[in-house]
Each structure stands twice: as C-alpha cells, then as structure tokens.
Amino acid sequence: MSVNRSEQELVRINALEQLRAMGIEPFPAAEFKASHKAEELLEDFKEGKEVVLAGRLMSVRVMGKASFAELLDSTGRVQIYVNRDELCPGEDKEAYNTVFKKLLDFGDFIGVEGTTFTTQTGEPSILVKKLTVLGKSIRPLPVVKTDDQGNVHDKFSDPELRYRMRYVDLIVNENVKSTFIARSKVMQSMRNFFNERDYLEVETPILQPIPGGASARPFITHHNALDVPLYLRIANELYLKRLIVGGFEGVYEFAKDFRNEGMDRTHNPEFTVMEIYVAYKDYNWMMDFTEEMIERVCLELHGKTSITVGKNEINFQRPFKRVSMIDSIKEFTGHDISGMNEDELREVCKDLKIDIDPSMGKGKLIDEIFGEKCEGNYIQPTFITDYPIEMSPLCKKHRENPELTERFELMVNGKEIANAYSELNDPIDQRARFEEQLALNERGDDEAMFIDQDFLRALEYGMPPCSGMGIGIDRLVMLLTNNESIQEVLFFPQMRPEKFGEKKIELNESEKAIVDLLKAKMSMPLDELKLAANLSNKQWDKGIKALGKLGLTKVEKTDSALLVHYTGE
RNA sequence: GAUCCUGUAGCUCAGCUGGUAGAGCAUAUCACUUUUAAUGAUAGGGUCCUGGGUUCGAGCCCCAGCGGGAUCACCA
C-alpha cells in the first residue's frame, strides 16, 4: 500500500535509512537497562552521578558544538546536554555531527549515559557521554511549547485529533496522563477498601443470552456455533446476585457495560461500573459503607476531602446528607406526592410544566419530576432515598411503605454517582415485578426489562437478604479529576470510525472525458483539448489538474503552445 | 434526531467587500560549546474536508454530503 508522505516524513524515513547505512539499527532488539527514571533523578538530584536513562527526545536545541534537549520518560522530563567533544572524545565526530544533529529527530527514542550536573541557568541536566538509538519516529509530533511563564503555545487541542490519537495526546499534553493515573488510583483505592473486608472480586459474563439487570437498549451479536443471539451486557447485577445465592457473602466486579444509546459528554456506549453485593446488609448499612468508601477514595487521591469541581467546592467528608425522594420533591416543588395515583401525578407534572407522554407510568412520572426539579440542586454529596416501587423492579419494598422501595442514589454536583438497594430476595414478588415491567413494555416503554427465568429460579432456591450498590466509575473519575466530559476519562472514547480510504484512482466524468479525447491522439495542444472536452471552466480546470497529479498527463511548453501528452497506459 | 459553531501547510491559527494562499512553530541549509518558547540568516512545503452551483474569477457566496464540537432531545 502506498502512503502519501509529507515532506517531513520523507526526511525522517531518509534519516532512518542513513542510520542503517552507518550500521546503527534504528529499531534495536536488545534490552536497554536504565538506572533511573526522570522523576526520581530530579527528586534526589546530586551532581556528578553516573546515570543511564531512556526516553523520547523532545525539544532539541542545537547550538553548534553543543546542544540541549529534553528526554521524556513515563515519569517526566529531564534536560540532557550533548556536547560534541564529550560525546566524541576522539577524532571521529560523527556521533555528534551526523547522528545526533542530522539523523535524530524530535520524538525519537534514545538511551543516554552520562553524568549529572547543573547548568549556568540552574537546570539539573545530564552531560551525555554515550547515546543509543532505541526507536526512530517517522511521523512528526505536534510541537507544543511552554514558556517560562507557563503559557502553552501551539497546544494540541483539537478534541477530534486528541481522542482519535490518544497516544499523541498522552505524549504532548502532560495533564492527560495524570487523569488516567488518577483513574487507576481511584479503582485501586476501591479494591483495597473491599479486599480489606474480604469481599471477593469476581468476573461475570459479558455475553449474555438475556440482557437483564437494567433497562436499556442492548448491543446484539450472534454466536455461530450455538446459532443463538447474544447480547453485550447492559448490567451485571443479576449474575452477581446468583453468586450471593451460591453462598458468597460479599462479591464485587469492575465491569464494562454496553448500552446502545446516544452519546454525549456523559454517555459512552461502553462504560465502567463497579457493583458490589453484601449479604445480610440493608441499604442503611450500604449508605454508611458508601460514604466511608468515597471519603477514603478522595482522601487517597487528593490528600483531603474537599475538592473543586467546575465552580463548586465539594466536600466528601462523612456523613452525607440523606433526604427521601418525596421530601425532596416537596422541598423543591411544594407538591406532596405521597400516595398520589397516576392521574394526580400527571396533574402535578402539568402544573410544573414538565413534558410527559402517555407511555409513562407512575414511577416514570415521579422520576421526571425529580430529574427536572430536584436532582440538579444537590451539589454536596446527598443520598436520595426511598424511590417509588415502579422505578425499581429489583429493589425490596420499603419496610414501612409498600409504595416505596429501599433504594438510594448518591447525588454529587447535581448528578447521580451511585445507586443501591436492599435487594429484592422474595422470588414471588420478583416475578410479579418483572411482569409489571413487561406490561409497561407493552405500553411502549421500550426499555422495560426482559424476564430472566434462570435468575428467578436462582432466587427460588433462596437468596439471603443483601444490599447491592453500583457506582459509575467514569462519572466518579470525572468528578474527582474535575473533567466535564466522559471522553476525557476514557483512553479511547467511541468515535465514528475513521476512513483510511486509499485515494480513488477512479476518474470522474470530466476526467474520463479528457482522457478519452487525449488517448485517441496521445498528445494534443491544450487549447484544442479544452475546446473538444466541452467542459465548464471549473470542471476543465479541476479535471486537468487532477490528471496531472495522478501522473496520467503531462503538459509540455513549446514556443508556440502548450502540448498535453498522455502518459498513462 | 434538531439547532448552532467548525474543517486552510506536519502543528496552532490568520485570511478584509469574491481578485496572485499567509504568519508563528516545525522541516532543510548555514552560523553558533551552558540553552530552555534558544538565537540569527536563507529556502522549501497547500486536494483551502468532499461534490455540485453562481461568477470573467470562489478559501470566501449558494446547495448537498462527510468529519468534529457545543446546546437540546434521548438516556436509572
């Protein structure tokens, strides 16, 4: 496959070939043993130390017989000082003059051996005695520069390019890496928190015959050997509960779920949730557990419980506020919806000017009111409790009010972060709830749930009382790293696939017309050809230019006129 | 799905009322042995997203399409 190379790429490929010609392999196989990482070297910087480092060559500043550059490794940047006579003590100055100055480029991987020292301007640096080529880069990176005031120039900021080429984003935009390190730390803190309590990390199927545990449109696929449809999971809840049935008393999973729905700054088709189920507990216990966990995650990440998110200062110090959904609606709308039927709720929605449609049941209506009028008000961490039963088909009925369930969601910065239940373990009730969902489905709510008969069978064998909680990891990380877009916390957010189409050699109509005329005579005067082609000026112009580029025609200038030659087959 | 914004050199971006396609960085050549957005000189580099249209003439105006972003809608 031929690739159109830019001038700079050709220069780099040429340099690569020259290195080989000199007996220097630009992509060596051998291990390169470094003694330090950039960060540890700078942390405990002493002059006169012999060090070996490996990394990417950045910001090369050649000044005749001496040069400065930066070496970027996974931990940061160190300045290197490459001096001709230090690098080449003998007569042969090629390693400096040719290899370093001409054949190495910004972005190449090199290893350096040398001595630490401090420059006149006070910059800790490495005086390079030996330089090893570790990997050539034939495509130039975007050049991002930061001045001494910390202003970034020519920032690589186009979101499309950043997300499509995250590898480039990670190299040139330093803060991007820290977001993903934070993401890993958040998950690590949570794991530690669970493992200390002897809960078991498990894995459950991603390919499911019935996409249960939530209401969402699934991705569908097909298993050839079994000749059955399979779905990418929209949730893992029903499988984790099966494990509680099986006798585990605490299980958790960091799970990728998949939902075939719209994408925006808080939704990606695949996303990560952490779900945990603990036997013999209820949702009150789970609230304590959740706030303890979140407080700790924040402390371990930031060293404090208070963080800035956008314009808001959010404090994760325990305990979090707890408000029932009905009280919340009363507080923000003045309507007491307790005990209302569907028609009364519709009246309330009308009064509050909330858009509704006939497919919505009681639960959905209440959800709309809460989502419209209440949710956004909860900036500080707040547990909203006791959701209406219609919205929560997997959740146990409230011990005091059969219209409600023992459910809570944790709201932070106006958005839902976690969702938890006292899990429904009554198999008869569970079956009835699924059937109600099915009825809703028939009303047109295309997200109501499928019935998973095997899950019901498991419940019939008996599940201990338990409480389960799920946290959207992407959204939690967004919150904790002060990012407002989910794409900033996913390495590779979903994008429309890029077209790497090779340039079509197919000619369009006007190009064909010109070629046909020209082929007959193999060469003719340009004026005559233009006249004969009978094309508009624009079409002629585009057509003849394109043919020239494709190498099918060549224009020759003679004394009398311009001659067009056909050079194709 | 709707609306608005956007697509120009390797990168970041200018481009006036429609009149020869520009800058900085990067690249190449030269100079320069402690610089750090290194500096100075010279040079090369373009499918102005794609396809139509209007026009003597389109990067610019019109139509259609494609990519991306934002705001909605949708979304426990």
Side-chain angles (χ1 to χ4, degrees):
Chain A
M1 190 182 86
S2 75
V3 184
N4 287 328
R5 295 287 184 190
S6 72
E7 181 198 5
Q8 291 188 46
E9 288 167 354
L10 294 172
V11 167
R12 284 167 176 244
I13 289 168
N14 186 261
L16 183 153
E17 283 161 0
Q18 282 190 54
L19 283 172
R20 280 221 173 97
M22 293 175 74
I24 298 169
E25 172 51 47
F27 301 103
E31 177 192 9
F32 185 84
K33 285 198 174 89
S35 66
H36 291 78
K37 293 275 181 208
E39 190 179 41
E40 56 175 337
L41 189 70
L42 295 176
E43 248 169 32
D44 178 32
F45 191 79
K46 289 197 192 81
E47 294 190 23
K49 204 159 36 170
E50 297 295 321
V51 295
V52 184
L53 272 89
R56 205 186 269 273
L57 189 62
M58 308 288 277
S59 177
V60 186
R61 301 180 291 277
V62 177
M63 296 157 43
K65 297 178 185 65
S67 304
F68 289 91
E70 279 170 7
L71 196 67
L72 171 70
D73 71 12
S74 63
T75 64
R77 293 173 180 233
V78 198
Q79 178 167 277
I80 60 172
Y81 174 60
V82 188
N83 180 302
R84 188 191 66 180
D85 298 328
E86 295 283 347
L87 186 67
C88 316
E91 285 303 301
D92 181 4
K93 305 295 185 191
E94 272 219 322
Y96 182 77
N97 285 336
T98 309
V99 177
F100 179 76
K101 271 171 70 177
K102 307 253 186 205
L103 303 182
L104 286 184
D105 293 291
F106 168 58
D108 290 349
F109 283 98
I110 58 166
V112 297
E113 272 182 65
T115 322
T116 54
F117 76 109
T118 308
T119 63
Q120 286 177 1
T121 50
E123 181 81 22
S125 307
I126 302 169
L127 173 61
V128 178
K129 301 271 176 60
K130 190 178 168 207
L131 196 150
T132 313
V133 180
L134 297 178
K136 186 80 189 141
S137 154
I138 62 166
R139 203 181 266 266
L141 287 165
V143 183
V144 179
K145 296 192 173 184
T146 310
D147 65 21
D148 49 11
Q149 263 109 59
N151 299 314
V152 178
H153 300 266
D154 300 334
K155 194 165 189 195
F156 180 63
S157 57
D158 182 329
E160 174 174 6
L161 296 177
R162 286 186 50 230
Y163 301 151
R164 284 198 195 279
M165 301 192 288
R166 181 69 87 184
Y167 37 90
V168 174
D169 191 30
L170 286 162
I171 296 166
V172 303
N173 293 329
E174 243 171 278
N175 56 323
V176 173
K177 213 191 270 174
S178 61
T179 298
F180 291 99
I181 293 171
R183 182 179 175 117
S184 178
K185 276 188 183 162
V186 165
M187 292 172 70
Q188 204 53 53
S189 292
M190 289 171 71
R191 271 206 179 89
N192 291 340
F193 188 79
F194 302 147
N195 291 347
E196 283 162 17
R197 285 157 180 77
D198 285 333
Y199 302 147
L200 189 71
E201 181 164 15
V202 298
E203 291 181 281
T204 62
I206 292 172
L207 286 175
Q208 302 180 348
I210 294 167
S215 46
R217 226 172 323 161
F219 285 93
I220 184 162
T221 184
H222 185 263
H223 190 275
N224 289 342
L226 297 176
D227 192 24
V228 291
L230 286 175
Y231 301 86
L232 298 183
R233 70 177 166 204
I234 56 174
N236 57 351
E237 170 157 3
L238 303 187
Y239 284 91
L240 291 174
K241 284 183 182 171
R242 283 169 168 98
L243 297 179
I244 296 292
V245 170
F248 294 106
E249 293 188 359
V251 290
Y252 72 94
E253 179 174 20
F254 285 91
K256 269 277 176 81
D257 287 349
F258 305 83
R259 296 186 185 178
N260 202 345
E261 284 164 2
M263 294 159 57
D264 59 29
R265 94 185 174 285
T266 54
H267 296 83
N268 194 68
E270 63 180 283
F271 59 99
T272 305
V273 291
M274 191 295 306
E275 297 233 355
I276 182 165
Y277 290 81
V278 185
Y280 310 114
K281 308 297 186 190
D282 66 2
Y283 78 140
N284 291 316
W285 177 89
M286 188 59 88
M287 276 189 258
D288 296 339
F289 181 82
T290 302
E291 62 189 13
E292 187 181 348
M293 180 192 76
I294 301 245
E295 183 191 67
R296 167 157 161 190
V297 167
C298 185
L299 265 171
E300 288 186 352
L301 186 65
H302 293 295
K304 53 182 184 178
T305 57
S306 177
I307 60 169
T308 305
V309 181
K311 289 178 199 145
N312 298 322
E313 194 71 22
I314 291 175
N315 196 334
F316 287 103
Q317 187 162 30
R318 290 182 283 167
F320 302 166
K321 218 169 99 185
R322 300 179 186 191
V323 184
S324 82
M325 180 170 259
I326 284 176
D327 287 345
S328 174
I329 289 177
K330 208 185 292 174
E331 182 184 347
F332 290 106
T333 71
H335 289 275
D336 183 354
I337 60 157
S338 50
M340 277 190 181
N341 63 28
E342 196 174 312
D343 289 338
E344 290 168 315
L345 284 167
R346 280 178 194 281
E347 278 304 307
V348 172
C349 286
K350 223 163 137 189
D351 183 54
L352 296 170
K353 299 190 171 60
I354 296 170
D355 278 341
I356 48 169
D357 68 67
S359 77
M360 290 175 179
K362 250 174 90 171
K364 191 91 180 165
L365 291 168
I366 295 171
D367 188 36
E368 286 291 315
I369 298 172
F370 180 79
E372 276 301 306
K373 301 291 174 190
C374 309
E375 194 174 74
N377 297 309
Y378 295 104
I379 302 302
Q380 298 305 319
T382 307
F383 291 115
I384 303 299
T385 65
D386 304 340
Y387 284 59
I389 194 160
E390 296 86 351
M391 295 169 62
S392 319
L394 298 164
C395 185
K396 194 173 267 197
K397 271 181 192 149
H398 196 278
R399 60 196 79 180
E400 282 154 14
N401 182 346
E403 299 251 292
L404 304 176
T405 52
E406 298 207 348
R407 170 179 181 180
F408 72 80
E409 287 193 356
L410 175 61
M411 301 288 166
V412 186
N413 204 30
K415 292 180 193 91
E416 175 211 335
I417 289 296
N419 180 25
Y421 307 149
S422 296
E423 300 295 340
L424 177 55
N425 59 345
D426 173 346
I428 315 260
D429 190 2
Q430 183 67 81
R431 188 177 292 275
R433 301 270 202 102
F434 277 148
E435 273 154 14
E436 280 159 28
Q437 287 290 305
L438 215 57
L440 277 175
N441 200 356
E442 273 149 27
R443 266 172 76 168
D445 182 350
D446 60 358
E447 275 155 16
M449 296 184 186
F450 298 71
I451 292 189
D452 185 336
Q453 297 293 346
D454 174 71
F455 170 68
L456 287 171
R457 178 168 61 192
L459 283 193
E460 286 166 7
Y461 280 102
M463 180 169 83
C466 79
S467 182
M469 186 261 294
I471 287 195
I473 295 296
D474 309 299
R475 292 185 188 177
L476 178 66
V477 173
M478 283 164 66
L479 196 64
L480 292 174
T481 59
N482 193 14
N483 276 302
E484 54 186 24
S485 164
I486 197 169
Q487 293 166 308
E488 293 293 342
V489 302
L490 298 171
F491 273 126
F492 304 104
Q494 194 56 243
M495 303 281 274
R496 189 176 291 277
E498 201 174 348
K499 286 193 191 107
F500 283 99
E502 286 160 62
K503 293 283 167 328
K504 293 168 278 181
I505 309 289
E506 270 172 51
L507 305 181
N508 65 28
E509 291 298 314
S510 39
E511 288 159 11
K512 268 185 206 150
I514 298 170
V515 167
D516 288 346
L517 284 166
L518 194 55
K519 245 181 175 170
K521 301 195 174 180
M522 291 313 284
S523 89
M524 59 198 291
L526 189 131
D527 293 352
E528 200 178 304
L529 180 62
K530 183 177 173 184
L531 211 64
N534 194 24
L535 293 166
S536 74
N537 279 334
K538 189 173 199 168
Q539 284 173 325
W540 162 258
D541 191 53
K542 285 217 169 191
I544 196 74
K545 274 184 189 165
L547 290 171
K549 285 227 160 155
L550 289 169
L552 291 176
T553 61
K554 199 170 180 180
V555 180
E556 186 195 3
K557 194 171 181 180
T558 64
D559 293 339
S560 52
L562 293 169
L563 267 181
V564 187
H565 300 287
Y566 184 69
T567 49
E569 284 123 44

